[in-house]
Amino acid sequence: MGYFHLMFPEVKEKGMAAIPRLVALTSEHSHFSVKKGAAALGIGTDSVILIRCDERGKMIPSDLERRIIEAKQKGFVPFLVSATAGTTVYGAFDPLLAIADICKKYKIWMHVDAAWGGGLLMSRKHKWKLNGVERANSVTWNPHKMMGVPLQCSALLVREEGLMQSCNQMHASYLFQQDKHYDLSYDTGDKALQCGRHVDVFKLWLMWRAKGTTGFEAQIDKCLELAEYLYNKIKNREGYEMVFDGKPQHTNVCFWYVPPSLRSMEDNEERMNRLIKVAPVIKARMMEYGTTMVSYQPLGDKVNFFRMVISNPAATHQDIDFLIEEIERLGQDL
Amino acid sequence: MGYFHLMFPEVKEKGMAAIPRLVALTSEHSHFSVKKGAAALGIGTDSVILIRCDERGKMIPSDLERRIIEAKQKGFVPFLVSATAGTTVYGAFDPLLAIADICKKYKIWMHVDAAWGGGLLMSRKHKWKLNGVERANSVTWNPHKMMGVPLQCSALLVREEGLMQSCNQMHASYLFQQDKHYDLSYDTGDKALQCGRHVDVFKLWLMWRAKGTTGFEAQIDKCLELAEYLYNKIKNREGYEMVFDGKPQHTNVCFWYVPPSLRSMEDNEERMNRLIKVAPVIKARMMEYGTTMVSYQPLGDKVNFFRMVISNPAATHQDIDFLIEEIERLGQDL
């Protein structure tokens, strides 16, 4: 988000007070880092407009356009749309082509948060889910998520050459000497926000050399296949309810485990109040037994549900079978 | 610098436009990250006031107070003083006690950038140089610099309990569940600016366990002793000129190497224009031969000079002797 400095170069010297009434737009399912960035960069979280999603967690383009027009009518300046390729909870891919058209029409910076979903670009089978990412002005991609690179390894890709430098350089001549006797373009210090830092990308480079693109592809295809295997096993299984219909687009499989005592209950408030407590107890038991660990969370009006995410290429079908049995073993008395 | 959110909580939601005319003060020798922070956080680099330093690179408290009064008279709001304990180039320690008095008097947040100098707190012999740091509201300390922890390991210490959380939390209930079955105070995710990140402090913890405080002390005392050894060897040696008088306070030894051809020249512009080029050529030759590497930089009206910094506890007196001979070998024909 810091790269809106390109659109508003005066911010670097004058601060955000120089351009009041900026607003950023992102989906209600996007990562909280969009709001966090707005707070940290002096834009303010009130200036982040949340766009509605469909039942699969994808941003609704018509709602995006409506909110842009509405903001402009109120005198605000929509400057950034942060679309998501692989949301944290549902693993949803926003419709990037439609969003790109809207960004172009209203001259708004298009950012794609592909931190989680970017790895799918390695897969010939799955990369269509990111169609339109090539039209973004900037893209976040975390190889430490789906690609299995050890924490942390996070890339920000921007289209314009020289952008990172113009945004970040402070002309600290005592550190970034211009009279060195070698090619200065290799000096990255003045192009990044941080000064001294670990060369995280080296980890990715080593893995890429070792596995190749086809190695990464096989690993990613396998994780997605395992997620589909899990989905197929539980979608009609007694005691399971899916949070959204249809096959997951990423490896996020979102479901409730409903213990036997709740299965015959009516779908009323009492049932909901009991269901809220199921996932936290099962997770606590998972940690106690040390056998497995699956995240849970509420989202909007959906109470605590499990979100199984598969990003470890060493996972097997047997692991998925075990997981299902383990959830049932730990939760059947609840 | 982001922790001024405590003083101005409305920034988190409303952005920097809510509190215009803020100014931060730091010395002209401070690290460029102060300006970079001001740019990134939407304060703007124009809002950073640079305070004059004495000939040793220490902030002059009377100039600080003068500039605070001046800023207030112009209607600005001085909110932060960033003092430095161990400047990048000279290794200078700002007079923290005097600065603390001024910050208290004008109710200004006192930050100490002890990224480089903080390690001296491990040494009974040298820790007096940071006297007053205990009065700071916040302190930066990079164990990856003077302590020898592998990049990166950087700590921000704040006095108020709960401050990091109130500044950073975004109440992302889908990640930071409040109904977990264990002590939530161990959850650091919602207290930091970053989300997923490497546990860098573990490297420091391991080293501290292995070396103990006395081990770190011995290592730091040794580096400072080696710097003094270098200083004593070159301060009166032919062909060397010190950039500032007196023993360095940290391990930064700043000097010019003056080749024989320049030694009899008058101190005029021609000599300066030739001296500018000496350090870059010697450094290029150092890199070519692969024998050693010493940074150089200009600073204010001082043209390119070497800054030898010792932070590697494996360095020896023989290494220092070699360094001096090598500089002379590589630079005598210039």
Side-chain angles (χ1 to χ4, degrees):
Chain A
M1 189 184 282
Y3 298 94
F4 70 92
H5 282 85
L6 178 79
M7 303 167 76
F8 308 105
E10 65 269 36
V11 168
K12 193 168 171 181
E13 288 84 29
K14 304 288 177 199
M16 283 301 300
I19 40 162
R21 303 180 75 75
L22 285 184
V23 289
L25 303 102
T26 193
S27 95
E28 57 187 344
H29 277 238
S30 73
H31 192 259
F32 73 96
S33 56
V34 179
K35 279 203 165 191
K36 205 156 195 169
L41 296 169
I43 297 165
T45 54
D46 286 356
S47 301
V48 178
I49 297 174
L50 297 182
I51 307 303
R52 285 199 300 121
C53 290
D54 65 18
E55 68 290 347
R56 292 286 304 250
K58 295 164 180 288
M59 189 193 285
I60 301 173
S62 61
D63 195 55
L64 172 63
E65 184 159 20
R66 185 178 71 76
R67 298 298 296 273
I68 290 170
I69 294 167
E70 186 185 275
K72 283 162 125 10
Q73 282 169 346
K74 288 182 184 166
F76 291 100
V77 181
F79 75 102
L80 171 97
V81 172
S82 182
T84 312
T87 60
T88 308
V89 181
Y90 283 13
F93 289 80
D94 284 344
L96 301 181
L97 285 166
I99 292 168
D101 287 341
I102 293 170
C103 287
K104 191 180 173 194
K105 181 172 174 187
Y106 295 96
K107 296 190 175 60
I108 298 177
W109 186 274
M110 178 180 172
H111 176 71
V112 177
D113 172 1
W116 172 227
L120 271 60
L121 288 170
M122 293 286 180
S123 162
R124 281 165 290 186
K125 188 172 170 191
H126 296 288
K127 67 180 178 183
W128 63 271
K129 295 169 186 173
L130 286 104
N131 280 351
V133 70
E134 68 283 0
R135 292 176 59 188
N137 298 97
S138 56
V139 176
T140 307
W141 171 45
N142 285 7
H144 71 223
K145 295 192 195 287
M146 194 62 199
M147 314 272 291
V149 178
L151 258 184
Q152 60 213 54
C153 182
S154 182
L156 175 71
L157 310 171
V158 294
R159 188 174 294 282
E160 284 77 8
E161 200 172 330
L163 175 59
M164 304 296 283
Q165 186 143 15
S166 69
C167 288
N168 286 308
Q169 76 182 348
M170 287 289 142
H171 304 285
S173 59
Y174 67 88
L175 282 178
F176 308 111
Q177 302 86 351
Q178 299 303 305
D179 51 3
K180 284 180 194 157
H181 287 248
Y182 60 84
D183 182 356
L184 293 175
S185 68
Y186 291 111
D187 282 3
T188 55
D190 213 18
K191 294 176 192 164
L193 185 62
Q194 288 174 285
C195 188
R197 51 167 298 181
H198 194 261
V199 189
D200 291 311
V201 78
F202 188 57
K203 294 179 288 191
L204 172 63
W205 183 84
L206 275 175
M207 285 176 74
W208 211 330
R209 293 284 290 182
K211 292 170 188 277
T213 305
T214 51
F216 272 127
E217 177 180 48
Q219 163 176 336
I220 282 159
D221 284 351
K222 186 188 172 199
C223 289
L224 277 122
E225 192 273 312
L226 283 175
E228 198 173 332
Y229 176 77
L230 171 61
Y231 166 74
N232 284 328
K233 282 204 78 160
I234 62 175
K235 68 177 173 182
N236 296 316
R237 191 184 181 98
E238 199 186 345
Y240 288 84
E241 283 177 31
M242 303 313 294
V243 173
F244 57 84
D245 290 334
K247 207 169 75 176
Q249 281 210 295
H250 205 314
T251 72
N252 307 46
V253 183
C254 296
F255 59 90
W256 288 280
Y257 172 71
V258 184
S261 70
L262 300 187
R263 286 180 204 164
S264 54
M265 282 181 77
E266 263 184 87
D267 191 6
N268 56 21
E269 209 181 313
E270 193 202 332
R271 182 180 184 271
M272 197 183 76
N273 287 336
R274 287 184 56 187
L275 191 57
I276 287 174
K277 293 175 187 142
V278 170
V281 171
I282 294 177
K283 189 187 167 192
R285 289 177 179 176
M286 285 172 169
M287 294 175 77
E288 198 182 321
Y289 285 98
T291 49
T292 185
M293 199 157 93
V294 184
S295 270
Y296 70 86
Q297 66 285 300
L299 191 74
D301 58 354
K302 320 269 193 197
V303 301
N304 282 329
F305 56 88
F306 281 115
R307 163 178 47 123
M308 177 62 190
V309 167
I310 298 154
S311 61
N312 180 352
T316 63
H317 292 94
Q318 287 74 26
D319 292 326
I320 303 294
D321 295 339
F322 173 78
L323 173 72
I324 297 168
E325 285 156 26
E326 187 69 357
I327 288 173
E328 292 172 350
R329 183 177 79 86
L330 297 174
Q332 63 181 351
D333 65 325
L334 297 174
Chain B
M1 188 185 281
Y3 296 94
F4 71 91
H5 282 86
L6 180 79
M7 303 167 78
F8 307 104
E10 64 270 35
V11 169
K12 192 169 172 181
E13 287 84 28
K14 304 289 176 198
M16 285 300 301
I19 40 164
R21 302 180 75 76
L22 286 184
V23 289
L25 302 102
T26 193
S27 95
E28 57 188 344
H29 278 237
S30 73
H31 192 260
F32 73 96
S33 56
V34 179
K35 280 204 164 189
K36 204 157 197 170
L41 296 170
I43 297 164
T45 54
D46 286 356
S47 300
V48 178
I49 297 174
L50 296 182
I51 308 303
R52 285 199 300 122
C53 290
D54 66 18
E55 67 291 348
R56 292 287 302 251
K58 295 164 181 288
M59 189 192 285
I60 300 173
S62 61
D63 195 55
L64 173 63
E65 185 160 18
R66 185 179 70 78
R67 299 296 298 272
I68 290 170
I69 293 168
E70 187 184 274
K72 281 161 126 4
Q73 282 169 347
K74 287 183 186 164
F76 290 100
V77 181
F79 75 101
L80 171 97
V81 172
S82 181
T84 312
T87 60
T88 309
V89 181
Y90 282 14
F93 289 80
D94 284 343
L96 301 181
L97 285 166
I99 291 168
D101 287 343
I102 294 169
C103 286
K104 190 178 173 195
K105 183 172 171 186
Y106 295 96
K107 296 190 176 58
I108 297 177
W109 186 275
M110 178 179 172
H111 176 71
V112 177
D113 172 1
W116 172 227
L120 271 61
L121 288 170
M122 293 285 180
S123 161
R124 280 165 292 187
K125 189 173 170 191
H126 296 288
K127 66 179 179 183
W128 62 270
K129 295 169 186 173
L130 288 104
N131 279 350
V133 71
E134 68 283 359
R135 291 175 61 190
N137 298 96
S138 56
V139 177
T140 308
W141 172 44
N142 285 7
H144 71 224
K145 295 189 195 288
M146 194 61 197
M147 313 275 290
V149 178
L151 258 183
Q152 59 210 54
C153 181
S154 182
L156 175 72
L157 310 170
V158 294
R159 188 173 294 284
E160 284 78 8
E161 199 172 331
L163 175 58
M164 304 296 281
Q165 186 142 17
S166 68
C167 288
N168 286 308
Q169 75 182 348
M170 287 290 142
H171 303 286
S173 59
Y174 67 89
L175 282 178
F176 309 113
Q177 302 86 350
Q178 300 302 304
D179 51 3
K180 284 180 194 154
H181 286 247
Y182 59 83
D183 183 354
L184 292 175
S185 68
Y186 290 110
D187 282 3
T188 55
D190 213 17
K191 295 176 189 163
L193 185 62
Q194 289 172 284
C195 187
R197 51 166 296 180
H198 193 260
V199 188
D200 291 311
V201 78
F202 188 58
K203 295 180 286 191
L204 172 63
W205 184 84
L206 275 176
M207 286 177 73
W208 210 329
R209 293 284 290 184
K211 293 170 187 276
T213 304
T214 52
F216 271 128
E217 177 181 48
Q219 164 176 334
I220 281 158
D221 285 352
K222 186 189 171 199
C223 289
L224 277 126
E225 192 273 312
L226 283 175
E228 198 172 333
Y229 176 77
L230 171 61
Y231 166 74
N232 284 328
K233 281 204 81 161
I234 62 174
K235 68 178 173 181
N236 297 317
R237 190 182 182 99
E238 200 187 345
Y240 287 85
E241 282 178 31
M242 303 312 294
V243 174
F244 57 83
D245 291 334
K247 205 169 75 178
Q249 281 209 295
H250 207 312
T251 71
N252 307 45
V253 184
C254 297
F255 61 89
W256 288 279
Y257 171 71
V258 185
S261 70
L262 300 187
R263 286 180 202 163
S264 53
M265 283 181 77
E266 263 184 88
D267 191 5
N268 57 19
E269 209 181 315
E270 194 203 331
R271 181 179 184 274
M272 197 183 74
N273 286 336
R274 288 185 55 186
L275 191 57
I276 287 174
K277 293 173 187 146
V278 170
V281 171
I282 294 177
K283 189 187 167 192
R285 290 178 179 177
M286 285 173 171
M287 292 174 79
E288 199 181 320
Y289 285 98
T291 50
T292 184
M293 197 158 92
V294 184
S295 269
Y296 69 86
Q297 67 285 300
L299 192 73
D301 59 354
K302 320 269 192 196
V303 301
N304 280 330
F305 56 87
F306 281 115
R307 163 178 47 123
M308 177 62 191
V309 166
I310 298 153
S311 61
N312 180 352
T316 64
H317 292 94
Q318 287 73 26
D319 292 326
I320 302 294
D321 295 340
F322 172 78
L323 173 72
I324 296 169
E325 285 156 27
E326 187 68 356
I327 287 173
E328 292 172 349
R329 182 177 79 86
L330 297 174
Q332 62 181 350
D333 65 326
L334 296 175

